[in-house]
Amino acid sequence: MSKKVTPYKESELGKKEQVKQMFDNISGNYDGLNRVISFGTDVKWRNRIVSFLKDKSPNSILDIATGTGDLAIAMAKTGADKIVGLDLSPGMLEVGKNKVSNKNLQSTIEMIVGDSENLPFEDNSFDAVTVAFGVRNFENLEKGLEEIYRVLKPTGHFVVLETSVPTKTPFKQGYKVYTKYVLPTIGKLFSKDRSAYKYLSESASVFPHGEAFNNILKKIGFIGVENKPQTMGVASIYVASK
C-alpha cells in the first residue's frame, strides 16, 4: 500500500493487533451491517467465487480472513471435502462457528484462529485459497501473499474478493462521497466502534487495486493473474494460480 492505514490512530499497537481488536469489537453486528453497506451485493460477489471454484473441483480450500465464515460456508457448494476458515479475531470466529453449526457443516468446515502471515500449514496443502475483503488488512501484504503461495498446491487456484475504486464518472465521485461520509455514518449509528467503518473505507481507498495488485501477485510468483471488476468497479475479483 502507498499509505499505512490503521483502525485506531492513537493506539501504539501494530496494525495486526489493531485489526484483531477492531473485528472483535464489531463481530456481533458485522454481518447485518455488511448487508446494509453493500446493499446485499457482497453475497452475489461471493457466489461468483463459489461458481468459479466449483468448476475446478477442489478437495481442500483455505479461506483466509474468514471472519464470520460467509465465504467458507458458501464454498461447501463446491463439493470440497475440507474447508478451513482462518482469522485473527476470536470474536468473529465465534459467530462463524455458530453459523457453521446451524448449517450442520462441522464435518466439512473447521474454523481456526491464525495469522495470514504465518500460516500453520505445510507447503502445498490446499487446492484453493480464498480471501474476501481481507488482503487490505494484512500488516505486510507481500509476506501474506508469499505464505498463501507457499501453502497452495501446484496448479492450485487463488481467488481474492476486495474493494476497489471506480475510475469512471459519475461512479468515481459517487463512491468517494459514499465511502467518506455515508459508510462511516452508518457505522457510527449501528456499531459501538466508531473507528472501525472509517478505517474500512480508508483502507479500501489506499489498497493497490486493479493492475497494481495484479503486478504484486505476479511478483510473488502467481501465474494466470486476472482481475474482474464488479458492480461498476466498487469491488474486484482476482484469480491466479501457482
Side-chain angles (χ1 to χ4, degrees):
M1 289 189 191
S2 57
K3 176 185 175 186
K4 186 173 182 179
V5 176
T6 57
Y8 308 111
K9 303 294 186 290
E10 307 302 319
S11 176
E12 295 182 0
L13 295 173
K15 180 176 179 178
K16 193 178 298 182
E17 289 75 18
Q18 289 190 40
V19 167
K20 174 183 175 296
Q21 180 182 340
M22 179 192 75
F23 280 113
D24 279 344
N25 287 344
I26 66 175
S27 59
N29 53 20
Y30 179 79
D31 285 344
L33 271 174
N34 253 11
R35 298 299 95 80
V36 171
I37 287 168
S38 72
F39 304 105
T41 51
D42 61 307
V43 176
K44 294 180 182 178
W45 298 334
R46 288 187 181 91
N47 286 338
R48 286 170 186 161
I49 293 177
V50 173
S51 295
F52 173 81
L53 286 179
K54 189 173 183 179
D55 288 340
K56 311 301 178 185
S57 302
N59 288 321
S60 58
I61 303 174
L62 171 63
D63 184 40
I64 293 174
T66 195
T68 63
D70 277 345
L71 182 54
I73 290 167
M75 286 192 299
K77 297 174 186 174
T78 65
D81 295 326
K82 174 187 176 186
I83 299 170
V84 178
L86 177 142
D87 202 279
L88 274 176
S89 167
M92 295 285 275
L93 286 171
E94 280 306 308
V95 177
K97 286 176 182 176
N98 287 334
K99 288 159 69 172
V100 169
S101 178
N102 289 339
K103 292 182 180 292
N104 294 315
L105 290 170
Q106 304 95 311
S107 61
T108 303
I109 302 174
E110 180 185 11
M111 306 286 274
I112 65 172
V113 175
D115 180 358
S116 61
E117 295 169 30
N118 187 23
L119 296 172
F121 309 108
E122 299 292 328
D123 295 357
N124 309 316
S125 292
F126 294 93
D127 296 307
V129 179
T130 58
V131 189
F133 304 116
V135 287
R136 74 178 188 272
N137 296 323
F138 289 4
E139 186 162 39
N140 184 321
L141 177 59
E142 290 194 13
K143 186 176 179 183
L145 294 174
E146 285 170 355
E147 274 290 271
I148 289 167
Y149 187 86
R150 179 183 67 79
V151 303
L152 189 63
K153 291 180 181 179
T155 73
H157 298 278
F158 178 38
V159 189
V160 173
L161 170 60
E162 191 52 87
T163 53
S164 54
V165 180
T167 57
K168 295 181 179 179
T169 302
F171 307 118
K172 182 177 181 180
Q173 291 77 6
Y175 178 85
K176 284 184 177 179
V177 170
Y178 182 73
T179 54
K180 187 172 182 179
Y181 301 107
V182 180
L183 193 153
T185 300
I186 293 172
K188 285 180 184 179
L189 289 173
F190 296 100
S191 173
K192 65 181 179 181
D193 190 324
R194 297 189 169 210
S195 300
Y197 287 88
K198 184 177 181 182
Y199 160 76
L200 291 174
S201 60
E202 286 180 352
S203 61
S205 71
V206 301
F207 183 76
H209 61 278
E211 198 60 32
F213 188 60
N214 287 352
N215 290 335
I216 296 172
L217 291 172
K218 292 173 186 175
K219 177 184 175 183
I220 300 300
F222 288 100
I223 60 174
V225 177
E226 185 181 358
N227 69 292
K228 306 169 186 288
Q230 306 292 311
T231 316
M232 298 170 292
V234 301
S236 289
I237 293 175
Y238 301 84
V239 297
S241 57
K242 181 173 177 179

